[in-house]
Amino acid sequence: MAAKEIPVYLFVGFLESGKTRFIQETMEDPRFDSGKNTLLLCTEEGEDDYNPKKFAFPGVTIKYIEDKSEFTPENLSRLEAEAQAGRVVIEYNGMWTMQELYAAMPESWIIYQVLMTADSNTALTYARDNNMRALFLDKIAPSELVVFNRAEAVEALCAYLQQQAPFAPVCFKNVSVLLPSGAVDRIT
């Protein structure tokens, strides 16, 4: 008998990009309740902490993995079993490659959605830096949505993203943006 598929919701981005806050807000939304237990894996600790009391549903187990040596199929399967998880949410360390994640995932885990967060004040710097560019693009490439927070001057960033990820929807919070279609939208 084949193992049941475990949906994985993956939140990627660099430290202080807003991943924890995005996940917290997602877990506070009752529409995200699948009726199944959720394993929330965090691969780095940022400024914000989770507040499980505000989650819209019960059955969330939070586990921290800060060392890549712990990020193995065996350990992840063990954590899934301990949490009796029917789905997994991962807050993924931006300095780890996506290939490292794919290699560590148990066979039954299926990525359902990849969401990237970025601080718009540092994103273009990362994208232009020879040492960070590959890691930055590594996170954008599989993302279904890229959310830029702390958005101020975004014209150069928009131009860069249209070249590198022309099909990824991009969201800027609290700013008017020029969309690929040429329309201007105010996002709050």
Side-chain angles (χ1 to χ4, degrees), residues 61-93:
T61 301
I62 302 172
K63 294 291 183 177
Y64 291 89
I65 297 178
E66 293 186 24
D67 189 307
K68 275 195 249 187
S69 67
E70 299 174 62
F71 212 68
T72 65
E74 298 79 20
N75 191 39
L76 296 178
S77 292
R78 181 183 59 77
L79 293 172
E80 172 200 328
E82 287 175 4
Q84 298 179 349
R87 70 174 173 182
V88 176
V89 174
I90 302 175
E91 179 178 351
Y92 195 61
N93 187 324

Side-chain angles (χ1 to χ4, degrees), residues 47-60:
E47 291 281 322
D48 294 336
D49 291 322
Y50 289 104
N51 184 351
K53 291 179 182 176
K54 289 188 173 184
F55 292 170
F57 42 87
V60 178

Side-chain angles (χ1 to χ4, degrees), residues 9-127:
Y9 297 88
L10 182 58
F11 292 77
V12 299
F14 293 108
L15 192 63
E16 303 309 319
S17 66
K19 294 185 301 293
T20 303
R21 182 165 294 168
F22 194 171
I23 294 170
Q24 177 71 39
E25 291 173 1
T26 301
M27 301 297 261
E28 290 176 13
D29 187 339
R31 294 173 296 177
F32 193 64
D33 184 2
S34 68
K36 300 175 183 175
N37 287 346
T38 301
L39 173 60
L40 173 53
L41 289 174
C42 306
T43 61
E44 63 185 8
E45 287 191 59
E47 291 281 322
D48 294 336
D49 291 322
Y50 289 104
N51 184 351
K53 291 179 182 176
K54 289 188 173 184
F55 292 170
F57 42 87
V60 178
T61 301
I62 302 172
K63 294 291 183 177
Y64 291 89
I65 297 178
E66 293 186 24
D67 189 307
K68 275 195 249 187
S69 67
E70 299 174 62
F71 212 68
T72 65
E74 298 79 20
N75 191 39
L76 296 178
S77 292
R78 181 183 59 77
L79 293 172
E80 172 200 328
E82 287 175 4
Q84 298 179 349
R87 70 174 173 182
V88 176
V89 174
I90 302 175
E91 179 178 351
Y92 195 61
N93 187 324
M95 299 305 290
W96 298 359
T97 67
M98 297 301 288
Q99 186 55 45
E100 290 168 316
L101 169 70
Y102 302 146
M105 284 177 45
E107 286 186 30
S108 61
W109 288 19
I110 308 297
I111 295 179
Y112 270 36
Q113 194 167 36
V114 181
L115 305 154
M116 180 181 178
T117 58
D119 181 337
S120 66
N121 296 310
T122 58
L124 198 54
T125 302
Y126 290 149

Side-chain angles (χ1 to χ4, degrees), residues 162 177-185:
Q162 285 176 341
V177 295
L178 178 64
L179 302 173
S181 65
V184 175
D185 194 8

